[in-house]
């Protein structure tokens, strides 16, 4: 059931509607903790801010900014900040809730939070982007902090933006507070391995899942939607493992090559032109045909709501690895289940990013930094262990990996909730 909150418009297919449907599916497996389930259907705290900046041409423009702390039950808020023209409070609420589930699923000592600005960053100069970031950081400064809520990169944000956020927060508190954000440049308290961590987690969980369904990764055909930070790192690792990247879609185009794309040439093209569109050594497809491409593994690594029932009906893959947050609608999930297509859900599949964010935060507090090998080994171990626990839960209850991940995570969140009790 779609929980009604007076301050947002929710539909069954909107991000918060999707999240609520996912929670409803897990309630039967929560036993006595189900008493606390309503807690998951309400973000603890949502902050909406106005961000006025002076543009390069002297005009003043205002942007909408958000930071939502869905849950602080298991620790500080944690989750990225997204810059996108379609950002809404409702979307940020869902993204923050998925962070609560994800952080609990891999057992990080965090709640869940997310932020966003409704802006197309491609239309801003570097100076305007910096002003936007700094003013946003100042505005949400009343609720973030190394022990309160720790932002990180997400769609269209990166280590430079994290450096500006860290600097702005630090200027306001009068001390360098590296632990206030993660995903920083390595020379500013960032962690080795953070940039590729989300894609690495997709690869590691993908290989585990492939093994379990008897799908060989060498020679497997992989289709990737979104060649940003997550999609590109995952594609590189799959290609290194001998898989063929047969199709890629992004906001500039859809390209395919049945024998496999030359990924390093493609990534060079993307760096030079900003997208996959116009890449010569591939066939250009119309966007909807992406979902018909012959492949074994599909990696949606872009935005929410992509796998609708009709697309889920058409895809050829045996395995879907959700690099993006919220790419599958609940009605799409049902189709995939009927078709016996395995989905490794976002809330475990893309948890590698926040896991290395956690390592970064720990390293910042101890001012002692680990090698990239140490980071990757610890990351792989956490991801494999978390997925195996989820898999056992799914087998025990005969439920999907998504519902099993929610079961593991909600059990952790709600037992913490019950033990803490209600104040006052
Ligand atoms: N934005 C990433 C995510 O959706 C990472 C968040 C973080 O590192 O805090 O999981």
């Amino acid at each position: 059931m779609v929980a009604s909150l007076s301050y947002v418009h929710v539909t069954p297919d909107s991000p918060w509607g999707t999240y609520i449907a996912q929670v409803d599916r897990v309630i039967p497996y929560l036993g006595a903790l189900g008493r606390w389930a309503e807690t998951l259907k309400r973000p603890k705290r949502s902050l909406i801010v106005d961000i006025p900046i002076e543009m390069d041409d002297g005009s003043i423009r205002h942007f909408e900014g958000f930071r939502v702390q869905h849950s602080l039950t298991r620790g500080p808020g944690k989750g990225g900040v997204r810059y996108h023209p379609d950002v809404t409070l409702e979307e940020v609420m869902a993204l923050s809730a998925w962070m609560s589930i994800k952080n609990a699923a891999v057992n990080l000592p965090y709640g869940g939070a997310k932020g966003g600005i409704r802006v197309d960053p491609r239309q801003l100069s570097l100076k305007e982007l910096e002003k936007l970031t700094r003013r946003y950081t100042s505005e949400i400064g009343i609720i973030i902090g190394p022990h309160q809520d720790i932002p990180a990169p997400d769609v269209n944000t990166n280590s430079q933006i994290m450096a500006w956020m860290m600097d702005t927060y630090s200027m306001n508190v009068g001390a360098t507070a590296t632990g206030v954000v993660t995903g920083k440049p390595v020379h500013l308290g960032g962690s080795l391995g953070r940039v590729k961590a989300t894609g690495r987690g997709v690869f590691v969980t993908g290989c585990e899942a492939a093994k379990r369904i008897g799908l060989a990764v060498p020679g497997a055909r992989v289709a990737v939607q979104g060649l940003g930070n997550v999609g590109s790192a995952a594609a590189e690792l799959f290609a290194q493992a001998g898989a063929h990247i047969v199709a890629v879609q992004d906001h500039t185009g859809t390209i395919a090559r049945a024998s496999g794309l030359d990924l390093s040439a493609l990534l060079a093209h993307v760096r030079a032109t900003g997208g996959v569109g116009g890449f010569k050594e591939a066939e250009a497809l119309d966007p909807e045909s992406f979902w018909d491409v012959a492949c074994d593994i599909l990696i949606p690594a872009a935005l929410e709501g992509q796998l609708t029932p009709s697309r889920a009906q058409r895809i050829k893959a045996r395995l879907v690895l959700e690099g993006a947050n919220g790419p599958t609608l609940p009605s799409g999930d049902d189709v995939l289940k009927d078709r016996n297509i395995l989905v490794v859900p976002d809330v475990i599949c893309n948890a590698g990013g926040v896991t290395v964010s956690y390592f970064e935060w720990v390293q910042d507090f101890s001012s002692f930094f680990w090698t990239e090998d140490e980071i990757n080994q610890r990351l792989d171990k956490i991801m494999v262990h978390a997925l195996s626990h989820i898999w056992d839960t799914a087998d025990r209850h005969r439920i999907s990996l998504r519902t099993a991940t929610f079961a593991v995570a909600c059990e952790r969140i709600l037992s913490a909730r019950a033990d803490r009790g209600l104040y006052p």
Side-chain angles (χ1 to χ4, degrees):
M1 223 191 72
V2 173
S4 77
L5 296 169
S6 67
Y7 50 89
V8 278
H9 177 65
V10 182
T11 68
D13 285 350
S14 65
W16 184 254
T18 297
Y19 164 73
I20 293 296
Q22 293 166 347
V23 171
D24 281 335
R25 286 177 181 194
V26 82
I27 291 175
Y29 304 97
L30 294 178
L33 287 173
R35 170 171 185 256
W36 293 94
E38 182 69 17
T39 247
L40 301 164
K41 297 187 180 185
R42 291 158 187 272
K44 177 185 176 62
R45 184 181 287 144
S46 304
L47 179 63
I48 305 174
V49 296
D50 172 41
I51 311 164
I53 61 165
E54 185 177 2
M55 307 296 283
D56 293 347
D57 66 4
S59 64
I60 312 282
R61 275 187 70 187
H62 291 254
F63 297 90
E64 290 175 19
F66 308 94
R67 183 75 187 169
V68 177
Q69 296 171 344
H70 172 259
S71 170
L72 304 179
T73 300
R74 300 178 68 257
K78 184 85 193 83
V81 173
R82 162 176 304 202
Y83 290 180
H84 195 278
D86 297 334
V87 162
T88 61
L89 172 62
E90 198 257 5
E91 182 197 37
V92 178
M93 281 165 52
L95 292 165
S96 72
W98 283 321
M99 287 310 304
S100 300
I101 303 296
K102 191 187 304 187
N103 292 334
V106 277
N107 219 354
L108 306 179
Y110 290 136
K114 199 86 172 199
I117 304 180
R118 194 172 171 86
V119 61
D120 182 355
R122 288 181 195 89
Q123 293 183 357
L124 299 189
S125 69
L126 198 64
K127 197 70 221 162
E128 291 165 343
L129 193 65
E130 179 176 350
K131 286 183 187 173
L132 181 83
T133 301
R134 288 187 181 278
R135 182 62 187 251
Y136 169 70
T137 308
S138 270
E139 293 293 341
I140 65 164
I142 52 174
I143 62 166
I144 63 168
H147 296 287
Q148 283 85 46
D149 179 5
I150 306 111
D154 196 76
V155 174
N156 293 332
T157 54
N158 55 25
S159 61
Q160 173 60 78
I161 288 173
M162 294 307 115
W164 291 327
M165 289 189 78
M166 188 276 266
D167 182 71
T168 305
Y169 180 86
S170 297
M171 291 295 113
N172 286 343
V173 298
T176 294
T178 51
V180 68
V181 292
T182 58
K184 299 177 295 292
V186 171
H187 56 274
L188 269 181
S191 178
L192 293 167
R194 174 62 187 87
V195 174
K196 301 212 165 178
T198 313
R200 186 175 177 91
V202 171
F203 173 71
V204 169
T205 53
C207 289
E208 289 295 306
K211 211 176 349 176
R212 291 195 185 229
I213 62 169
L215 173 68
V217 169
R221 298 160 303 169
V222 180
V224 186
Q225 186 194 38
L227 210 56
N229 173 261
V230 180
S232 60
E236 273 182 317
L237 287 166
F238 273 106
Q240 276 163 27
H244 305 297
I245 311 301
V246 291
V248 177
Q249 173 169 80
D250 72 3
H251 64 286
T252 66
T254 304
I255 57 168
R257 190 160 189 246
S259 59
L261 295 155
D262 176 346
L263 195 62
S264 35
L266 177 60
L267 291 173
H269 173 83
V270 171
R271 274 192 298 276
T273 67
V276 302
F279 182 62
K280 289 277 183 297
E281 298 140 58
E283 186 191 343
L285 302 180
D286 71 275
E288 216 32 52
S289 308
F290 174 75
W291 307 99
D292 300 312
V293 165
C295 64
D296 304 297
I297 300 175
L298 174 69
I299 307 180
L303 295 170
E304 304 92 65
Q306 297 301 300
L307 276 156
T308 59
S310 75
R311 288 173 177 171
Q313 196 62 55
R314 282 157 44 204
I315 66 165
K316 307 286 183 291
R318 288 174 63 195
L319 180 59
V320 175
L321 305 177
E322 294 187 339
N325 291 308
T328 307
L329 295 179
S331 48
D333 250 345
D334 293 339
V335 173
L336 296 173
K337 185 161 176 274
D338 286 348
R339 295 189 58 212
N340 209 13
I341 296 170
L342 182 68
V343 180
V344 183
D346 50 3
V347 279
I348 177 65
C349 191
N350 71 32
V354 71
T355 301
V356 175
S357 276
Y358 166 61
F359 297 162
E360 176 172 335
W361 184 71
V362 168
Q363 292 171 87
D364 286 339
F365 279 123
S366 57
S367 297
F368 178 76
F369 291 87
W370 313 343
T371 65
E372 190 157 357
D373 272 354
E374 279 175 294
I375 302 277
N376 287 342
Q377 274 169 29
R378 286 181 202 247
L379 170 62
D380 294 359
K381 203 166 146 197
I382 287 179
M383 297 299 290
V384 169
H385 177 78
L387 184 66
S388 142
H389 181 51
I390 288 162
W391 212 292
D392 292 346
T393 306
D395 284 349
R396 195 165 60 248
H397 296 298
R398 297 171 181 277
I399 51 179
S400 68
L401 286 182
R402 187 182 321 276
T403 302
T405 311
F406 269 69
V408 168
C410 293
E411 210 268 329
R412 286 181 182 149
I413 298 168
L414 297 182
S415 43
R417 173 77 276 188
D419 286 350
R420 284 181 66 159
L422 281 182
Y423 172 87

